[in-house]
Amino acid sequence: MILVTGGLGFVGSHTVRALLEQGESCVLVQRRAAEAPTSLAGAPVDVTVEQADIGDLATLRAIGDRHDITGIVHLAGPMPWATGDERPVDDVRTALDGLLNIVTVAQEWGVRRLGVASTIGVYHGVDAEGPLREDMPLSMTSGHLIPAFKKVGELLGDHLASATGLDIVNYRIGAIWGPLGHPVDLFFPVPHLVHSAARGTAPDPAQLTNAHAEDAIDLCYVRDCGRAIALLQTADHLEHRTYNVASGRATTNAEVLDAIRTVVPDFAVELPTGGSGRRNHLDISRARKDVGYQPEYDTERAVADYIGWLRAGNDR
């Protein structure tokens, strides 16, 4: 049975679905009381939802008393966001405690693999064109809180894997979009464009970040992302401790607009030109070689699927 923190979230719910389709059973850890989402209805194996704060070690241990946990996918992302209480050190301690508690129970339960979510953002500051590989040296600085703490998590995970003998694997996740995602993303404009097209509204320029036509990023549709994580998590053996989880190509905003117009021909939105022109993407050769991962959703198929899902009455 695989425990998934953040299993009711955006990436988590798709990862759980993919794990269930592989015949795995799952325990979803949720800080607030909740039931399994309707998106998991009809899955081939039942799921169990446990209410727990990963900052509470005793509660996590109790889950292990009730279930035979054989693996963990740690997708919950506690961050030391500004809380207004002016206690940044305490906020950082709380954020790190969650990761350390997960490693503690993983060791106590003797799990086969602990997979930890990282981010494409760790490559910020890498001065390279083309593919971004897992073995590239990373910058010691970060432009945002999320990649900063993901880098810290990767370093801690590498140390703890060596010290404990645990198989701890980092999943560097690309720019994820699709069903259950937020309609506005802080880092790229695609979700907002798709939502606007599906609802027949004009996008709000204030909600469009990095929105030049030429701006590009490694867009990975969330269904592919969940499947990649599931393949990595259940593999008998992995050759590496870090894997890029992405599409393996850079997609421009202009390409997304073209794909949207194949579904919504009258979507009369034009983006400004003058973007950076950088075409970095994540190299997914490791995942291809080790677990046979291959993205199934190109831009047109992903846009059509997402718009169809939204038009079916889903709100995200």
Side-chain angles (χ1 to χ4, degrees):
M1 179 170 277
I2 296 179
L3 182 146
V4 184
T5 71
L8 295 178
F10 175 33
V11 173
S13 60
H14 290 276
T15 300
V16 168
R17 181 80 195 196
L19 288 167
L20 297 177
E21 289 175 351
Q22 291 189 27
E24 299 288 343
S25 55
C26 295
V27 177
L28 284 58
V29 174
Q30 174 76 10
R31 186 166 55 183
R32 293 173 294 277
E35 297 179 353
T38 56
S39 61
L40 296 178
V45 182
D46 289 336
V47 300
T48 301
V49 179
E50 291 275 5
Q51 183 180 6
D53 186 336
I54 61 173
D56 184 341
L57 182 57
T59 304
L60 281 176
R61 283 175 166 151
I63 293 174
D65 293 337
R66 293 189 291 273
H67 305 281
D68 181 18
I69 307 298
T70 58
I72 300 175
V73 181
H74 182 38
L75 300 176
M79 292 285 163
W81 304 111
T83 58
D85 56 11
E86 298 184 352
R87 295 186 299 173
V89 175
D90 289 342
D91 293 340
V92 168
R93 182 178 292 111
T94 298
L96 293 179
D97 278 349
L99 173 61
L100 296 176
N101 287 345
I102 291 295
V103 175
T104 296
V105 294
Q107 186 179 24
E108 292 175 353
W109 299 337
V111 303
R112 194 167 64 84
R113 178 168 298 130
L114 166 58
V116 181
S118 187
T119 175
I120 186 177
V122 300
Y123 291 107
H124 176 79
V126 174
D127 187 16
E129 294 290 342
L132 298 170
R133 303 184 311 275
E134 297 93 336
D135 58 359
M136 284 180 165
L138 302 181
S139 169
M140 289 296 290
T141 61
S142 292
H144 191 273
L145 176 67
I146 293 175
F149 271 78
K150 293 302 186 182
K151 288 181 184 181
V152 170
E154 287 193 16
L155 287 169
L156 283 174
D158 184 69
H159 164 68
L160 291 168
S162 297
T164 65
L166 281 170
D167 184 11
I168 301 177
V169 181
N170 301 303
Y171 304 140
R172 290 181 180 167
I173 299 172
I176 307 302
W177 63 296
L180 302 177
H182 291 294
V184 175
D185 192 279
L186 294 175
F187 303 106
F188 61 103
V190 171
H192 189 45
L193 292 172
V194 172
H195 275 254
S196 299
R199 296 192 169 106
T201 60
D204 178 0
Q207 304 285 1
L208 296 176
T209 305
N210 297 319
H212 291 93
E214 306 92 341
D215 288 337
I217 196 169
D218 192 320
L219 288 175
C220 183
Y221 200 53
V222 70
R223 301 190 196 280
D224 280 332
C225 176
R227 187 168 52 84
I229 293 174
L231 287 170
L232 289 164
Q233 190 64 30
T234 57
D236 290 336
H237 174 73
L238 293 176
E239 293 291 336
H240 307 280
R241 285 186 180 166
T242 302
Y243 287 84
N244 288 332
V245 174
S247 69
R249 66 180 298 270
T251 301
T252 65
N253 294 327
E255 291 176 78
V256 174
L257 276 181
D258 288 343
I260 288 174
R261 291 188 183 113
T262 65
V263 182
V264 187
D266 60 350
F267 189 59
V269 172
E270 298 294 338
L271 296 177
T273 59
S276 69
R278 292 180 66 88
R279 300 294 298 266
N280 290 121
H281 64 274
L282 302 188
D283 186 319
I284 57 173
S285 300
R286 282 186 178 182
R288 281 196 175 108
K289 179 177 182 294
D290 287 3
V291 299
Y293 166 65
Q294 181 65 34
E296 295 181 350
Y297 287 82
D298 60 16
T299 306
E300 286 196 3
R301 183 184 179 193
V303 165
D305 182 78
Y306 196 7
I307 289 178
W309 186 84
L310 289 167
R311 286 179 166 176
N314 300 291
D315 62 357
R316 290 174 67 183

